[in-house]
Amino acid sequence: MTTLLKSITEAQRQQLHRRTLTVVLLSQTFGGAGLAAGISVGALIAQDMLGTEALSGLPTALFTLGAALTAILIGRVTQRIGRRIALGVGFIAGGLGAIGFALATQANSPVLLFISLFIYGAGTATNLQARYAGTDLAPANRKGTAISTAMVATTIGAVAGPNLIEPLGGLAQNLGLPALAGPFLLAAVAYILAGTILISLLRPDPYTVAQQWEQQHATQAAGQIHDDANAPAGSPRLVRIGALVLVISQVVMVGIMTMTPIHMRAYDHTMGAVGLVIGLHVGAMWLPSLFTGPIVDRIGPRLTTIIAGLTLLAAGLVAALSPGESLAGILVALVLLGLGWNIGLVSGTTLVVHGTHPDVRAATQGSIDVWYQIFGAGAGMLSGILMSVTGFATLTILGGILAMILVPAILLAPRERI
């Protein structure tokens, strides 16, 4: 348990908030590189090892299920002892899973592959849970900006990772591993470094300090949701709507993204082209956070959620209407897909943060991310089956239509809180 200060001044809270963001930014830079590995080549390795396209979504499903379990564990551990240990151990577990994945490709062992993918998902969950660390000590009118600041550092590693597929493949071959195992070597190092940074430097723990701040100013905070550091009262309806925004954004993104490398290989695109598309897609998932967080704070998560739904719809339509051999069309679709996911993630997370009571915030956040990951796992698994039966165009159109659920959902959010 982090040792709490005797009393916290506003200046100390601001200083600790800036320090927390700095540490989270540093760890997320490495975490992003680990995150990108499974997105880039997981489906291709499964297709090669299992010999069927229908099961090529299984890797995404497995590491997403692993992420779901990790999300609830991180939430519960954070509730008890803070974010430092919970996030640090989560990243390190993801690194161990990446090592197991590389070994599974060498041994051509589907069983080891599946187990390792499940463990590797811990890194994915931790990467997402880290965004909440940036909000613990942030003022209520800066929650969106805090979320996006914690997310944006992921861009560096996440964009670099897929674009290193070919050189990392050469490194893997020099080590006696299949070329496609290369990104997982990067993931192992990156995740373990991210976890080590958090365990070493995230002191004092922002979650436990935030709890002390809220207790210290409980009377002052009452009735000042928009002006004080944290809202004292929760809104279950706001939490449910925020959770729905997160889940729908994840389902649409995962379903389309997972099958894109398979679709591209069917049209003889090179691995370099696949890396470029996925790299720009992942960049569009994280880099817009520079702007989306402040925009959410300025115009509110209600309007930005509607924008997210429309952007995801556009992504599905562009992907469906672009010729399979058109690299430009696929690039545009995947960039739109990443952007829509980003806007949905920042908007949904902001709704959840504003709707949760401080006493149960971490556990609620972990529980929501469980459903977020489970539905994402289902999307990853079903996308391969759906594509093998109906084709890529139908898959993407259905994803775009599903995204439009966000529009009527957000209109049900209580207006007085956002």
Side-chain angles (χ1 to χ4, degrees), residues 2 10 15 21 40 94 171 261 271 277 279 287 294 308 318:
T2 300
E10 173 62 21
Q15 181 182 17
L21 285 180
S40 303
L171 173 63
M271 287 304 302
V277 168
L287 186 57
V318 171

Side-chain angles (χ1 to χ4, degrees), residues 164-180:
L164 292 174
I165 288 178
E166 290 185 326
L168 286 170
L171 173 63
Q173 288 178 322
N174 290 335
L175 295 175
L177 298 169
L180 289 177

Side-chain angles (χ1 to χ4, degrees), residues 232-326:
S235 170
R237 185 152 64 103
L238 199 63
V239 171
R240 288 193 294 269
I241 293 171
L244 181 64
V245 173
L246 291 170
V247 167
I248 294 296
S249 300
Q250 175 77 346
V251 166
V252 175
M253 188 278 293
V254 170
I256 296 175
M257 175 273 298
T258 300
M259 288 298 104
T260 297
I262 304 299
H263 172 69
M264 291 182 68
R265 188 153 76 169
Y267 282 89
D268 296 323
H269 290 280
T270 65
M271 287 304 302
V274 173
L276 175 64
V277 168
I278 298 300
L280 290 176
H281 163 68
V282 176
M285 289 172 62
W286 300 99
L287 186 57
S289 301
L290 286 167
F291 311 103
T292 51
I295 290 172
V296 168
D297 286 334
R298 179 174 293 273
I299 68 175
R302 181 186 303 276
L303 182 55
T304 50
T305 296
I306 294 172
I307 295 171
L310 294 173
T311 305
L312 291 171
L313 173 63
L317 294 177
V318 171
L321 297 175
S322 298
E325 61 274 7
S326 171

Side-chain angles (χ1 to χ4, degrees), residues 120-133:
Y120 170 77
T124 305
T126 307
N127 206 299
L128 284 168
Q129 285 278 306
R131 75 194 189 277
Y132 289 117

Side-chain angles (χ1 to χ4, degrees), residues 41-392:
V41 300
L44 298 176
I45 291 176
Q47 185 183 35
D48 290 342
M49 190 174 293
L50 302 175
T52 175
E53 180 183 281
L55 295 178
S56 55
L58 189 57
T60 300
L62 285 170
F63 73 68
T64 307
L65 284 172
L69 175 61
T70 305
I72 195 167
L73 291 176
I74 289 175
R76 290 180 178 179
V77 172
T78 298
Q79 196 74 48
R80 289 178 176 272
I81 62 174
R83 298 202 189 273
R84 183 175 67 90
I85 297 299
L87 295 176
V89 173
F91 268 133
I92 291 172
L96 296 177
I99 293 173
F101 188 98
L103 294 176
T105 60
Q106 182 183 38
N108 195 33
S109 170
V111 174
L112 180 58
L113 179 77
F114 298 155
I115 294 173
S116 299
L117 278 168
F118 188 81
I119 299 172
Y120 170 77
T124 305
T126 307
N127 206 299
L128 284 168
Q129 285 278 306
R131 75 194 189 277
Y132 289 117
T135 71
D136 288 329
L137 294 168
N141 62 354
R142 298 280 293 171
K143 295 294 188 185
T145 301
I147 292 163
S148 63
T149 302
M151 288 171 58
V152 74
T154 308
T155 307
I156 300 172
V159 173
N163 286 289
L164 292 174
I165 288 178
E166 290 185 326
L168 286 170
L171 173 63
Q173 288 178 322
N174 290 335
L175 295 175
L177 298 169
L180 289 177
F184 282 90
L185 298 178
L186 172 64
V189 175
Y191 273 159
I192 290 172
L193 279 174
T196 302
I197 288 168
L198 287 170
I199 291 174
S200 303
L201 301 180
L202 197 62
R203 300 170 184 268
D205 191 287
Y207 185 76
T208 53
V209 173
Q211 286 183 311
Q212 182 187 6
W213 171 264
E214 290 154 2
Q215 293 170 1
Q216 183 177 311
H217 296 270
T219 303
Q220 179 184 351
Q224 299 180 19
I225 296 173
H226 294 290
D227 296 322
D228 206 344
N230 290 285
S235 170
R237 185 152 64 103
L238 199 63
V239 171
R240 288 193 294 269
I241 293 171
L244 181 64
V245 173
L246 291 170
V247 167
I248 294 296
S249 300
Q250 175 77 346
V251 166
V252 175
M253 188 278 293
V254 170
I256 296 175
M257 175 273 298
T258 300
M259 288 298 104
T260 297
I262 304 299
H263 172 69
M264 291 182 68
R265 188 153 76 169
Y267 282 89
D268 296 323
H269 290 280
T270 65
M271 287 304 302
V274 173
L276 175 64
V277 168
I278 298 300
L280 290 176
H281 163 68
V282 176
M285 289 172 62
W286 300 99
L287 186 57
S289 301
L290 286 167
F291 311 103
T292 51
I295 290 172
V296 168
D297 286 334
R298 179 174 293 273
I299 68 175
R302 181 186 303 276
L303 182 55
T304 50
T305 296
I306 294 172
I307 295 171
L310 294 173
T311 305
L312 291 171
L313 173 63
L317 294 177
V318 171
L321 297 175
S322 298
E325 61 274 7
S326 171
L327 179 60
I330 298 172
L331 276 171
V332 171
L334 267 290
V335 168
L336 286 171
L337 184 69
L339 177 61
W341 177 88
N342 175 275
I343 300 171
L345 183 70
V346 176
S347 300
T349 302
T350 303
L351 291 168
V352 170
V353 170
H354 279 295
T356 49
H357 190 280
D359 291 342
V360 296
R361 182 165 292 148
T364 302
Q365 290 163 350
S367 297
I368 288 171
D369 274 7
V370 169
W371 292 108
Y372 173 86
Q373 298 291 358
I374 288 175
F375 277 94
M381 187 67 190
L382 292 175
S383 63
I385 299 172
L386 183 60
M387 178 170 157
S388 66
V389 174
T390 65
F392 186 69

Side-chain angles (χ1 to χ4, degrees), residues 390-417:
T390 65
F392 186 69
T394 300
L395 170 68
T396 58
I397 290 174
L398 289 176
I401 294 172
L402 179 63
M404 294 310 295
I405 292 176
L406 297 182
V407 176
I410 194 61
L411 295 178
L412 298 174
R415 290 182 176 274
E416 68 276 8
R417 289 184 172 271

